[in-house]
Amino acid sequence: MMQPSRPVVLVVDDGPKNIKLMEGILVPAGYSVISADNGVMALQMAQSAMPDLILLDVMMPGMDGFAVCQQLKDNEKTRHLPVIFVTARDDMEAETRCFALGAVDFIAKPVNMPVVLARVKMHLAMERQRRGLEGMFEDVIEFAPDAFVLCDNQGMVRRINRRAEQLFGYSRQDLVGRSVAVLMPLRLTTGSSLVCLRRDGSEFPADINVSPLETHQGSLVMAVVRDVTDRQKAERSLADSRTQLRQLVTQNEAVREMERKHLAREVHDELGQLLTGLRMEMSLLEMRFGAQNPGLADKVQGMKSLLDRAIQGVRHVVTNLRPTALDMGLIAALQSVCTEFTQRTGIACVFHTVEQVVDLDEARAVVVFRIVQESLTNVARHACASHVSVTLGRVGNALGVEVRDDGRGFAPDVAAAVTSFGLLGMRERAHGLGGRIDIISSPGKGAVVGLTIPFDTTAGRSEP
């Protein structure tokens, strides 16, 4: 079984006795010790042997420890080596300068053996942990599902991962050292999106996240690239499906309204006229024979009452199917629905408008009426309000309608999560004709339903 290698410690000191002392402390503890008695030799050995840790004296002839540490940290190959200063200078200025140069620790002479062993052991353990984390991070980047491209500040590629090779079609040897512009040409930038370029000349849309990265090799820029071709296709397909679904909903609503209109006329013309004629016949029967037969008169009166109830029921059905007030215009229809709401619920409902006539085609007028009707129904069912106002007016080239109540209100996000299609239905009705619904509410502060719908039937509809 292979034995683990012993950690290598480079001892840099111009005093042979100090080097011997460190060897006597470290070798029995399981460390390999190499030494240098001047700064130039220390720099050479650091590059050739790549020790796990350096114990560095400060006061040496020629190049002192501060200069040695500075050159170690300036060298890309050795800047990661942990340095512990071991010096007879124990003043605050020296210690501060040691840490400013990048040293990990400071030990004052004369050294204490347990202190030296503890510090060396601690910093070697920390270095092993750092290298382990770096290795783990390397694996994470290498096998990440997204492409990683690391560049220097001049835009030259320094490193890529496996996914980048697959995505762009370049090998690492072909790409490292080249400008990142071969992958992400600025000429292909469109708005907030970016089109990337493969080696074969084909293009693909990408999401790119760029962030600065400080490494032992200096400051780099890391770009994480994700091919979003499939996602954009799915988004377009979803948008097309949503548009088709909304067109279908709009068409179905139009067909339903036509069926309601036809049915209302049939009920009004056939059943309504039949009941009205029957009541007239009852009245004639009462006039001709009631005086002669008091019992018949009472019976006829009871039948007339039933007929009156039936006629009222027919009118109610016809109004629900298609309000006859719409034939007189949208304003009259909204006034009528507000009056009927007050009579039915006892809640004061006031209609406000400064418009005399609203030039709106029938399809839009029906949508406005139905949304107001549905809003008032919601107020009656849920709001516990004492006052409602319906306001109609022009908003530029659109018609604006607002239904405001002083009820208990609700949280719109909670209402949207409830299994109810009232609010969703209103939104879809409005959207089908290029309009929009805005709902403002909060618990205890009432609610406002605002509808905006364009007058122009050819106006572009809002995006899904």
Side-chain angles (χ1 to χ4, degrees), residues 9-10 52-56 65-66 69-70 72-73 78-86 94-107 115-116 118-128 130-131 216:
V9 179
L10 171 60
D52 297 290
L53 185 141
I54 299 174
L55 296 177
L56 179 60
F66 295 137
C69 186
Q70 183 68 61
L72 287 171
K73 297 305 177 181
T78 59
R79 66 173 55 182
H80 68 280
L81 297 177
V83 176
I84 299 177
F85 275 101
V86 183
E95 185 173 353
T96 301
R97 187 177 179 187
C98 289
F99 287 114
L101 289 171
V104 297
D105 210 340
F106 180 95
I107 300 175
V115 170
V116 172
R119 300 282 182 87
V120 169
K121 181 179 180 181
M122 178 184 69
H123 288 294
L124 285 174
M126 292 174 64
E127 180 64 13
R128 283 194 300 269
R130 183 190 66 80
R131 291 180 181 178
H216 291 305

Side-chain angles (χ1 to χ4, degrees), residues 16-34:
K17 292 183 179 180
N18 292 330
I19 294 177
K20 288 291 184 182
L21 175 62
M22 287 299 180
E23 289 177 345
I25 295 173
L26 297 174
V27 172
Y31 301 103
S32 295
V33 176
I34 57 177

Side-chain angles (χ1 to χ4, degrees), residues 142-411:
E142 179 63 23
F143 299 105
D146 295 326
F148 279 71
V149 180
L150 273 70
C151 307
D152 59 25
N153 292 329
Q154 285 71 46
M156 307 304 291
V157 177
R158 299 290 295 273
R159 183 174 178 182
I160 63 173
N161 68 345
R162 186 176 63 173
R163 176 57 181 153
E165 289 182 301
Q166 297 169 351
L167 186 60
F168 292 101
Y170 288 92
S171 68
R172 296 170 203 254
Q173 294 77 13
D174 291 336
L175 194 58
V176 172
R178 299 182 65 180
S179 171
V180 73
V182 302
L183 307 179
M184 310 167 196
L186 293 178
R187 62 182 176 81
L188 297 179
T189 303
T190 56
S192 59
S193 62
L194 183 67
V195 178
C196 292
L197 194 65
R198 296 187 178 93
R199 185 172 189 173
D200 60 8
S202 60
E203 302 173 358
F204 64 92
D207 277 348
I208 302 178
N209 293 318
V210 179
S211 57
L213 189 67
E214 294 296 329
T215 71
H216 291 305
Q217 301 176 7
S219 297
L220 299 178
V221 177
M222 181 174 66
V224 182
V225 184
R226 175 173 296 179
D227 185 351
V228 295
T229 302
D230 292 339
R231 190 185 75 187
Q232 288 191 358
K233 288 180 180 178
E235 288 174 349
R236 286 194 296 268
S237 177
L238 179 61
D240 292 341
S241 298
R242 186 177 298 171
T243 299
Q244 293 171 2
L245 179 60
R246 280 176 163 162
Q247 290 173 348
L248 179 61
V249 168
T250 301
Q251 182 180 354
N252 286 343
E253 285 297 329
V255 171
R256 287 179 61 189
E257 289 297 339
M258 289 297 296
E259 291 176 346
R260 286 173 175 172
K261 182 178 180 179
H262 175 73
L263 185 57
R265 286 179 176 174
E266 288 292 323
V267 171
H268 179 270
D269 294 345
E270 297 295 331
L271 186 56
Q273 290 182 13
L274 180 62
L275 291 174
T276 302
L278 185 56
R279 192 185 189 289
M280 291 175 64
E281 290 294 332
M282 286 292 178
S283 298
L284 183 59
L285 180 63
E286 183 181 20
M287 290 172 61
R288 294 185 60 182
F289 302 105
Q292 300 174 12
N293 189 341
L296 178 62
D298 293 340
K299 190 69 173 177
V300 169
Q301 190 62 40
M303 294 173 69
K304 287 171 62 179
S305 297
L306 291 174
L307 283 171
D308 289 339
R309 290 171 58 189
I311 291 171
Q312 186 62 36
V314 168
R315 289 175 179 170
H316 183 68
V317 169
V318 169
T319 301
N320 284 337
L321 288 173
R322 174 176 165 75
T324 55
L326 275 175
D327 296 329
M328 297 182 290
L330 179 60
I331 293 177
L334 294 181
Q335 289 174 332
S336 175
V337 76
C338 289
T339 300
E340 190 275 334
F341 175 82
T342 299
Q343 293 173 349
R344 177 168 52 87
T345 64
I347 302 172
C349 183
V350 181
F351 178 69
H352 303 281
T353 185
V354 296
E355 305 293 331
Q356 299 298 320
V357 177
V358 175
D359 185 16
L360 210 61
D361 60 87
E362 182 175 358
R364 292 166 187 269
V366 169
V367 166
V368 172
F369 179 84
R370 292 299 184 194
I371 290 176
V372 172
Q373 191 178 50
E374 178 69 23
S375 300
L376 292 176
T377 299
N378 289 337
V379 171
R381 289 178 178 175
H382 309 296
C384 297
S386 60
H387 185 272
V388 185
S389 65
V390 178
T391 306
L392 178 145
R394 292 178 179 268
V395 183
N397 294 323
L399 177 70
V401 181
E402 178 186 275
V403 180
R404 181 185 296 268
D405 70 76
D406 62 354
R408 60 186 179 184
F410 59 91

